């Protein structure tokens, strides 16, 4: 990040989140899809995710909430908590892998609903690194001095890929995992370069690095139009073996780079917000990151993997409890064309 | 549990249904040495074995198994 105005400290004022519907536990999924006890035991043992939230009616397949619905709720909550009005926001950045429509961009639908207008808005086509990417873009814009307060949003809704009538027994593993790993949700945060918020955590650094050279995508989401709507390619699939192998490695690289950049020691990290693929994957990654004193903030067991929203759920929990002084490191890895990303927050002073 | 499933049948099931190229003399190979073996294969195999043997299986009972031979022994003992 090029810091054009080193004196323009960017702080996180608040976070807000939104989840659709009631939590859907593995028992309910098994019942819906006619899966047996072995399957439930496999989910519990190898995925670990206990519940997820779906923007689709599990009984009928009817879509309920859109990404714009969830993002508007999350952003509204973040604005209220920050004590700022929609008119105080002078730039909006939204990240999603699953916009409601390609046009209009969902960010602008959300802005409209929030009565935000006449300012720059950006939408990033992004995977699990999307929340960090929104921070990267927003903090860079705030640092230029052209903007003062940013609303950053991330979320995903997989309803169109969630076929409640699917026969999970006949699905190959790379499609089966989608039904238990993922969930829907949205999150948002308010960032500001305005003075007078000394208690709010400072964004010390943000990094996003494409790591896709010569690597096949670990995750693919396709979209179709009138001419190719009957294509045989599956709309969504993932190379879960590549993900299991590569995500921990990239997460370790991000953590090392963040700490090196800031000159922070491993035992100086108070909170770790690790990648949230699944409970079992996150456990493996946390061990590998080896931050001995860091309190782990993990949400995926309850939220499911809701992609671009995850970091905001973790941030919301962090902001509720973050002591002063303290340091937090967040890491997110996008496994489509492989992006490693992370950010570091710090609260100054003491109580 | 089943008197009818011998090691050759078991290896055939693994080969035909899981697509893992193995014969009955190779069942002792550790999972680490089995190309492509993962937890989804374990789930699929246990589901198939339930059908073959007609006896309910519990996945946690198999988590310490280090090879296909260990699974075979657990199922047939």
């Amino acid at each position: 990040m090029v810091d054009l105005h080193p004196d323009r400290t960017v702080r996180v004022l608040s976070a807000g989140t939104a989840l659709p519907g009631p939590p859907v536990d593995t028992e309910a999924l098994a019942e819906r899809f006619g899966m047996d006890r072995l399957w439930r035991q496999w989910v519990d043992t190898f995925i670990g995710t206990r519940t997820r939230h779906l923007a689709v009616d599990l009984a009928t397949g009817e879509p309920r909430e859109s990404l714009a619905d969830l993002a508007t709720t999350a952003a509204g909550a973040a604005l209220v908590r920050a004590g700022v009005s929609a008119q105080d926001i002078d730039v909006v950045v939204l990240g999603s892998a699953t916009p409601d429509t390609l046009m209009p961009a969902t960010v602008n639908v959300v802005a409209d609903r929030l009565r935000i207008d006449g300012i720059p808005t950006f939408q990033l086509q992004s995977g699990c690194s999307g929340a960090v990417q929104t921070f990267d873009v927003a903090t860079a814009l705030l640092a230029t001095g052209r903007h003062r307060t940013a609303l950053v949003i991330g979320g995903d809704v997989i309803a169109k890929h969630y076929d409640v009538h699917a026969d999970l027994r006949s699905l190959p593993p790379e499609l089966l995992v989608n039904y238990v790993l993922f969930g829907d949700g949205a999150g948002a945060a308010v960032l500001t370069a305005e003075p007078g918020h000394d208690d709010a955590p400072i964004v010390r650094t943000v990094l996003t690095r494409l790591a896709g050279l010569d690597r096949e995508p670990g995750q693919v989401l396709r979209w179709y139009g009138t001419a190719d709507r009957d294509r045989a390619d599956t709309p969504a699939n993932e190379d879960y073996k590549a993900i299991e192998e590569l995500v921990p490695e990239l997460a370790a690289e991000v953590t090392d780079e963040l700490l090196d950049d800031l000159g922070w020691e491993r035992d100086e990290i108070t909170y770790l917000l690790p990648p949230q693929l699944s409970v079992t994957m996150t456990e493996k990654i946390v061990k590998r990151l080896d931050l001995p004193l860091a309190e782990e903030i993990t949400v995926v067991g309850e939220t499911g993997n809701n992609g671009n929203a995850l970091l905001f759920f973790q941030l919301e929990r962090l902001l509720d409890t973050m002591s002063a002084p303290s340091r937090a490191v967040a890491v997110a890895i996008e496994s489509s064309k492989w992006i490693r990303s992370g950010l570091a927050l710090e609260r100054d002073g003491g109580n | 549990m089943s008197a009818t499933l011998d090691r050759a049948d078991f290896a055939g099931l693994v080969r035909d249904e899981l697509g893992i190229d193995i014969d009955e003399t190779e069942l002792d190979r550790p999972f680490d040495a089995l190309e492509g073996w993962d937890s989804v294969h374990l789930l699929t195999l246990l589901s198939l074995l339930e059908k073959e043997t007609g006896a309910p299986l519990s996945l946690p009972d198999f988590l310490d198994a280090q090879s296909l031979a260990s699974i075979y022994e657990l199922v047939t003992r």
Side-chain angles (χ1 to χ4, degrees):
Chain A
M1 186 179 99
V2 179
D3 194 348
L4 300 179
H5 291 256
D7 57 326
R8 286 182 66 82
T9 300
V10 175
R11 293 176 188 268
V12 184
L13 290 187
S14 68
T17 59
L19 290 167
V24 177
D25 62 18
T26 304
E27 190 77 31
L29 284 185
E31 193 173 318
R32 178 68 192 89
F33 292 106
M35 301 305 275
D36 59 15
R37 190 170 57 106
L38 279 173
W39 183 80
R40 293 199 305 274
Q41 290 172 335
W42 173 77
V43 175
D44 292 344
T45 306
F46 292 101
I47 305 289
T49 302
R50 293 173 288 278
T51 60
R52 62 288 290 157
H53 291 251
L54 299 170
V56 59
D57 186 311
L58 199 56
T60 65
E62 279 296 306
R64 287 188 314 230
E65 295 85 351
S66 65
L67 178 63
D69 293 337
L70 297 173
T72 303
T73 304
L79 291 175
V80 169
R81 285 182 193 160
V84 302
S85 72
Q87 285 64 47
D88 295 320
I89 299 298
D90 55 12
V91 60
V92 184
V93 187
L94 182 148
S96 180
T98 53
D100 291 326
T101 54
L102 296 184
M103 291 196 296
T106 304
V107 65
N108 296 324
V109 176
V110 175
D112 183 47
R113 292 186 185 179
L114 293 169
R115 311 298 297 162
I116 290 173
D117 202 25
I119 60 161
T121 59
F122 302 97
Q123 182 163 307
L124 311 177
Q125 182 63 37
S126 52
C128 288
S129 286
V132 180
Q133 290 174 304
T134 67
F135 268 71
D136 204 0
V137 172
T139 53
L141 289 169
L142 293 171
T144 65
R146 285 168 52 203
H147 305 283
R148 292 171 304 178
T149 303
L151 174 63
V152 291
I153 306 169
D156 279 298
V157 167
I158 54 165
K160 73 171 64 192
H161 301 287
Y162 211 92
D163 178 4
V164 301
H165 306 296
D167 176 7
L168 297 198
R169 289 170 192 279
S170 68
L171 285 183
E174 64 272 21
L175 299 181
L176 174 67
V177 292
N178 291 337
Y179 281 84
V180 292
L181 275 180
F182 294 110
D184 299 330
V190 176
L191 311 182
T192 191
E194 291 272 73
H197 300 283
D198 293 350
D199 278 351
I202 299 167
V203 182
R204 285 298 184 203
T205 194
V206 185
L207 74 82
T208 63
R209 303 275 187 268
L210 179 60
L213 200 63
D214 296 329
R215 283 181 176 141
E216 289 297 313
Q219 208 169 17
V220 177
L221 276 183
R222 298 180 180 85
W223 60 276
Y224 299 115
T226 306
D228 66 352
R229 63 194 303 170
D230 297 324
R231 272 175 59 171
D233 295 349
T234 54
N237 62 281
E238 63 174 61
D239 182 349
Y240 63 93
K241 289 184 183 175
I243 291 170
E244 279 180 5
E245 187 181 317
L246 202 48
V247 170
E249 182 182 323
L250 294 175
E253 288 177 16
V254 174
T255 306
D256 291 346
E257 189 172 344
L258 282 171
L259 298 183
D260 285 350
D261 283 356
L262 293 163
W264 289 0
E265 299 296 329
R266 302 191 96 77
D267 60 4
E268 292 175 345
I269 307 307
T270 327
Y271 303 97
L272 169 64
L273 285 57
Q276 302 284 290
L277 288 82
S278 69
V279 171
T280 52
M281 274 293 288
T282 296
E283 283 172 359
K284 284 182 196 163
I285 293 167
V286 168
K287 277 185 195 153
R288 172 146 182 188
L289 297 188
D290 188 27
L291 300 173
L293 303 180
E295 178 184 330
E296 178 190 343
I297 298 183
T298 278
V299 299
V300 68
E302 284 70 43
T303 61
N305 181 342
N306 53 27
N308 282 263
L310 282 165
L311 181 62
F312 294 101
F313 284 88
Q314 293 169 284
L315 273 177
E316 186 177 45
R317 200 171 286 183
L318 173 71
L319 295 180
D320 279 347
T321 59
M322 194 172 186
S323 56
S326 66
R327 290 172 169 174
V329 165
V331 176
I333 307 296
E334 176 169 334
S335 53
S336 60
K337 191 54 183 163
W338 304 103
I339 298 170
R340 54 188 171 88
S341 71
L343 56 84
L345 305 179
E346 183 168 28
R347 272 193 80 190
D348 286 335
N351 296 320
Chain B
M1 290 178 186
S2 166
T4 58
L5 187 74
D6 63 23
R7 287 174 70 94
D9 294 334
F10 179 79
L13 199 67
V14 171
R15 205 166 45 241
D16 297 342
E17 301 292 339
L18 302 186
I20 292 177
D21 190 18
I22 197 165
D23 67 36
E24 61 183 288
T25 65
E26 298 170 304
L27 295 178
D28 286 317
R29 280 165 59 186
F31 288 129
D32 291 350
L34 278 188
E35 176 83 25
W37 177 264
D38 63 29
S39 74
V40 181
H41 287 120
L42 176 63
L43 170 63
T44 308
L45 179 58
L46 294 183
S47 297
L48 290 166
L49 290 169
E50 267 196 349
K51 280 185 201 147
E52 286 287 323
T53 64
L57 301 175
S58 182
L59 187 136
D61 294 343
F62 294 84
L63 293 179
D64 291 332
Q66 299 296 315
S67 67
L68 287 165
S70 312
I71 291 179
Y72 177 75
E73 281 154 23
L74 283 166
V75 170
T76 54
R77 76 180 174 196

